[in-house]
Amino acid sequence: MQKAEFLKLLQDPEVCQAIADVIKNGGKPVKAESDGGTFASLRDRFRQSFSLTSEEPASPPAKAPTKPAPAKPAPPKAAAPAKPAPPPKAPEPAAPSLEIGGGLFGDKLKFLRSHVRQATAEREAQEQAESMKAPSEAPREQYTFILERPCPVCGQKTRVVKCKSRLNAESTDIDLCIHYKDANPYLYRVWACEHCGFAADEKKFLKPLPKKTQEKLQTFLSESNLALPFMAERTPEAALSYCEMAVLFSELADPSYNRRANLYLIMAWICRYEGDSAHERAALDKAAEFLDLSLEAESYPVDSMSDTTATYLAGAVHTLRQDYDKAVRHLSRLISDRSLQTSAPNVYHKARDLWQDIKKARQ
Ligand SMILES: [Zn+2]
């Protein structure tokens, strides 16, 4: 937006009120009823990216249960976005091509580009509004801090937000999503470069990329304009958009099914914190799909995750999806391995408890 246009807008009392609301709201974007801006409509577009419609029934409860639902397995829902079972033999993960064109990938890229344009415009307006208030009023998020790290693609130092490690945990769901008292650290799990736009899970972001992959990503990013403006505080919608970016780069240049499953799991947890069960379910479906592929085709450990943990996670995610047959298949593998009682007792006991709960629920 040009400066003259912006100054003209400031003469409108409604606009001034909206800006005042942003300031009162700690610098976060104004809610959907007035802005029509960046993140207000992102949830709708996020829904589209998962091919969901607003008529679609929300299958799991708003808050994920820590135990499987006591009801009998639900019949398959006609409108549910669940994918068919993966093929018996998963293909070996191959380095994805960087070729881009039409189809689903092209749609996703188009969606992300338009999102970045809107985010940038909104951020510029927000920064101008913030510049009009006293510096002492600037909001500070006490659970996060900002640090600088080199981007593995462009090499420039970028600001990233990290959660403080000492957060008060209140409960843990069966898929290992931890609920914290006053914070949602999953909002900040994906790091993004404010210069080139590359985004990835923190662990992946900190690892150097193979030279060839780095060069291909540099070429792709230099032509794509995907850099989102830096945000010290993220709304759930903004965090989901960073996750979408990370999935895009995972599809482009990371053959690991496990890491892609983790990105979808983070999305599911962000939706769960928000009580958005329909999108949580869509993300869980994708996480389950990629965990199954990973366990069939990948060598473990992947990053720091063992195959025992990945198998348990697959069992837990299928339980939350009420696909009890697949859940039991994964969990049985764990509880039939007695050595886990000593090598991984926590996972063993969790798997056994979950397996017993499913058994009871199906009686
Ligand atoms: Zn970069």
Side-chain angles (χ1 to χ4, degrees):
M1 182 183 290
Q2 295 299 312
K3 192 176 174 186
E5 282 180 72
F6 182 72
L7 290 173
K8 199 175 164 191
L9 270 177
L10 284 180
Q11 291 167 10
D12 183 334
E14 280 186 20
V15 172
C16 289
Q17 184 56 51
I19 292 170
D21 288 345
V22 168
I23 294 167
K24 272 192 250 164
N25 202 30
K28 291 173 187 167
V30 185
K31 290 295 178 191
E33 58 269 21
S34 61
D35 70 351
T38 316
F39 299 120
S41 62
L42 187 63
R43 183 161 293 171
D44 287 340
R45 291 193 282 158
F46 179 58
R47 176 183 292 130
Q48 285 166 14
S49 75
F50 273 132
S51 306
L52 284 176
T53 65
S54 52
E55 290 79 35
E56 212 149 18
S59 16
K63 287 280 170 192
T66 50
K67 303 279 180 190
K72 288 183 179 174
K77 292 182 172 59
K83 296 281 175 194
K89 280 282 168 192
E92 279 292 325
S97 158
L98 284 172
E99 293 295 318
I100 56 168
L104 281 176
F105 188 86
D107 289 347
K108 184 179 276 189
L109 193 57
K110 208 169 151 192
F111 151 69
L112 288 172
R113 275 181 181 145
S114 85
H115 167 61
V116 168
R117 276 197 298 276
Q118 283 198 20
T120 306
E122 182 173 281
R123 186 66 183 159
E124 282 169 6
Q126 207 178 327
E127 278 171 2
Q128 290 207 41
E130 280 171 6
S131 70
M132 294 190 301
K133 67 186 176 186
S136 58
E137 292 171 20
R140 275 281 150 230
E141 172 55 71
Q142 55 178 318
Y143 302 105
T144 58
F145 57 98
I146 297 169
L147 61 167
E148 284 193 331
R149 289 289 179 269
C151 166
V153 174
C154 71
Q156 295 187 72
K157 277 195 170 179
T158 181
R159 288 170 292 175
V160 291
V161 181
K162 198 167 164 64
C163 266
K164 291 178 180 169
S165 52
R166 293 191 176 207
L167 297 173
N168 294 322
E170 288 190 314
S171 61
T172 304
D173 295 333
I174 58 170
D175 60 353
L176 311 182
C177 168
I178 302 174
H179 293 263
Y180 294 93
K181 197 175 172 202
D182 299 306
N184 178 0
Y186 303 119
L187 298 179
Y188 301 96
R189 186 66 78 79
V190 167
W191 284 7
C193 174
E194 61 189 310
H195 308 294
C196 70
F198 177 70
D201 177 84
E202 176 186 330
K203 283 179 195 162
K204 175 81 183 163
F205 197 95
L206 289 171
K207 264 192 196 164
L209 292 167
K211 193 78 190 149
K212 224 173 174 179
T213 307
Q214 185 190 13
E215 285 169 2
K216 283 178 179 175
L217 283 172
Q218 280 172 347
T219 307
F220 169 74
L221 282 166
S222 68
E223 295 163 356
S224 300
N225 262 342
L226 283 176
L228 277 164
F230 174 74
M231 297 181 78
E233 292 179 50
R234 288 183 185 174
T235 60
E237 290 81 2
L240 288 171
S241 70
Y242 281 109
C243 290
E244 284 271 21
M245 288 283 188
V247 167
L248 174 87
F249 291 113
S250 164
E251 288 168 358
L252 277 170
D254 184 359
S256 171
Y257 294 134
N258 176 282
R259 277 193 286 270
R260 210 169 305 165
N262 284 332
L263 288 170
Y264 281 113
L265 211 47
I266 292 167
M267 286 193 197
W269 295 347
I270 291 170
C271 294
R272 188 177 303 164
Y273 261 72
E274 294 303 299
D276 183 350
S277 51
H279 293 100
E280 177 195 336
R281 169 61 189 251
L284 284 176
D285 286 346
K286 298 295 284 184
E289 178 189 337
F290 284 109
L291 275 169
D292 285 344
L293 285 168
S294 170
L295 285 165
E296 284 188 49
E298 280 183 297
S299 301
Y300 275 83
V302 176
D303 296 331
S304 56
M305 189 184 289
S306 66
D307 61 338
T308 304
T309 304
T311 306
Y312 170 78
L313 262 181
V317 171
H318 282 302
T319 304
L320 291 171
R321 298 175 61 246
Q322 298 178 323
D323 190 338
Y324 297 130
D325 287 338
K326 282 186 186 165
V328 164
R329 212 176 303 151
H330 287 293
L331 297 170
S332 297
R333 272 188 54 207
L334 296 177
I335 56 180
S336 61
D337 182 354
R338 299 275 168 184
S339 71
L340 291 178
Q341 287 186 50
T342 46
S343 62
N346 281 347
V347 180
Y348 178 85
H349 289 120
K350 274 178 182 293
R352 192 194 54 192
D353 291 349
L354 194 50
W355 184 84
Q356 284 171 346
D357 287 340
I358 293 171
K359 208 173 153 193
K360 274 185 213 156
R362 298 181 96 178
Q363 278 171 355

